[in-house]
Amino acid sequence: MRMGIFVCIFVLFLASVSVNGADKEILVKKVRGNRVCSQGWECKQWSKYCCNNTISDLFQVYQFEELFAKRNTPVAHAVGFWDYQSFITAAALYEPLGFGTTGGRLMQMKEIAAFLGHVGSKTSCGYGVATGGPLAWGLCYNRELSPSQDYCDDSYKYTYPCAPGAKYYGRGALPIYWNVNYGAAGDALKVDLLNHPEYIEQNATLAFQAAIWRWMTEIKKGQPSSHDAFVGNWKPTKNDTLANRAPGFGATMNILYGEMVCGQGDIDPMNNIISHYQHYLDLMGVGREEGGPHDVLNCAEQKAFNPATASKNDS
């Protein structure tokens, strides 16, 4: 009997492109007719997404500084913690999977603004009479200051048991809560966050990585990741349509916060998140009009993917 041998033939070559006036080399190869690329440390895995601009091509240090202008003000609570390089380093783990590298330049910029819009709204301390208002104070926090509990759920004691003395209160750029979420994030990032949840408030790159993991991951069965819902990879089912759920920024709020924000009508918590997104689109030179119409931006009439206010994975 003749044994069939499968041979994968690819062609490897260098493409030289100009980015922001500087030459940049991209490794390109074709595998089974499909074009995949690698771009140094920032997008080093072979991926179709690495053939596009990387985040650092589109989003510069000065833009990060403008978005989070007050984060190192003396009254902020995480002075000196958050910085541009930590964000870019964290993003490099997920750029080969499409984070900030999906679609053309406009979609890439919009996703960066959408993700950071959530981050800014959840870490702002500029409410009340603070100079500049809430939109200027993103990344003021890196942890919950006065946790009401340890956020230990014993129902996960066989999969993600709470470590003695560990407290699973909100930490990070998109704060995560509860032992189950720390455990899942730790598995994905290959860091022992179950036994050491404090690592997230000690390392800004890890804090951003945990947030991007949450953005890119299908946390619950039957619903998309925030990334897929935003860039249009998700195709709603008939039940989604009946529940007024559709791709766009509004759906990302539904996925991340459920009925705490969505399906409650025109409420301030929802509008605050939208305002951050639109403000960041403006600061990044994209323009808030590119965020889409109101029915795409909001989730006021969307039924929650997981209608349980106390659900651990919605925190």
Side-chain angles (χ1 to χ4, degrees):
M1 182 176 74
R2 296 179 63 186
M3 297 295 290
I5 300 176
F6 176 78
V7 179
C8 176
I9 300 176
F10 64 84
V11 178
L12 176 65
F13 59 93
L14 281 171
S16 181
V17 298
S18 180
V19 178
N20 296 322
D23 288 335
K24 180 179 182 181
E25 284 189 339
I26 304 175
L27 284 173
V28 183
K29 69 180 180 180
K30 284 192 175 181
V31 180
R32 304 176 198 172
N34 296 313
R35 183 172 180 263
V36 293
C37 303
S38 176
Q39 293 193 47
W41 69 269
E42 192 178 358
C43 209
K44 65 182 179 180
Q45 297 177 31
W46 290 105
S47 164
K48 66 179 182 180
Y49 299 111
C50 293
C51 297
N52 298 330
N53 285 311
T54 59
I55 292 178
S56 67
D57 295 332
L58 304 170
F59 183 63
Q60 307 295 310
V61 177
Y62 79 90
Q63 292 169 303
F64 183 89
E65 294 297 329
E66 287 180 350
L67 265 59
F68 305 111
K70 301 286 189 180
R71 74 185 191 283
N72 289 326
T73 301
V75 297
H77 298 282
V79 174
F81 184 78
W82 303 105
D83 65 282
Y84 172 81
Q85 192 58 47
S86 294
F87 171 63
I88 295 298
T89 303
L93 185 63
Y94 287 96
E95 288 186 61
L97 302 179
F99 175 68
T101 51
T102 296
R105 181 184 181 91
L106 178 59
M107 176 56 75
Q108 291 176 257
M109 292 287 278
K110 286 171 61 176
E111 183 178 14
I112 296 167
F115 169 77
L116 292 177
H118 282 284
V119 169
S121 70
K122 291 300 174 182
T123 58
S124 175
C125 61
Y127 299 97
V129 297
T131 304
L135 302 182
W137 287 83
L139 294 181
C140 176
Y141 296 103
N142 64 357
R143 65 181 180 90
E144 183 181 6
L145 293 186
S146 301
S148 60
Q149 55 177 303
D150 292 345
Y151 297 98
C152 172
D153 184 356
D154 279 337
S155 66
Y156 291 95
K157 62 184 178 182
Y158 297 113
T159 51
Y160 295 116
C162 299
K167 300 181 187 298
Y168 303 100
Y169 54 77
R171 297 179 177 90
L174 276 181
I176 57 174
Y177 298 76
W178 301 99
N179 48 307
V180 57
N181 295 318
Y182 276 89
D187 287 348
L189 300 174
K190 298 179 173 56
V191 178
D192 186 8
L193 295 179
L194 194 62
N195 286 298
H196 297 283
E198 71 278 3
Y199 285 172
I200 289 182
E201 62 184 273
Q202 297 170 351
N203 185 305
T205 297
L206 182 60
F208 275 126
Q209 283 178 334
I212 300 170
W213 163 79
R214 189 175 174 194
W215 178 264
M216 296 292 295
T217 304
E218 297 177 7
I219 301 298
K220 290 190 175 180
K221 185 177 180 180
Q223 69 183 50
S225 66
S226 296
H227 166 77
D228 284 341
F230 186 81
V231 302
N233 291 341
W234 169 53
K235 305 303 179 186
T237 66
K238 182 179 179 180
N239 285 339
D240 288 319
T241 301
L242 291 172
N244 295 317
R245 296 190 289 260
F249 188 75
T252 68
M253 291 189 285
N254 195 331
I255 293 163
L256 293 172
Y257 319 120
E259 64 186 8
M260 291 188 289
V261 169
C262 299
Q264 307 294 324
D266 194 36
I267 60 173
D268 287 343
M270 180 192 73
N271 288 327
N272 176 58
I273 300 168
I274 295 171
S275 293
H276 275 81
Y277 173 43
Q278 292 177 317
H279 183 60
Y280 290 177
L281 285 172
D282 285 341
L283 291 181
M284 291 168 63
V286 178
R288 65 180 56 213
E289 66 278 2
E290 294 293 349
H294 191 61
D295 59 348
V296 172
L297 284 169
N298 82 92
C299 60
E301 304 303 325
Q302 290 187 20
K303 292 184 179 178
F305 278 103
N306 302 282
T309 302
S311 174
K312 307 299 183 293
N313 287 333
D314 290 335
S315 297

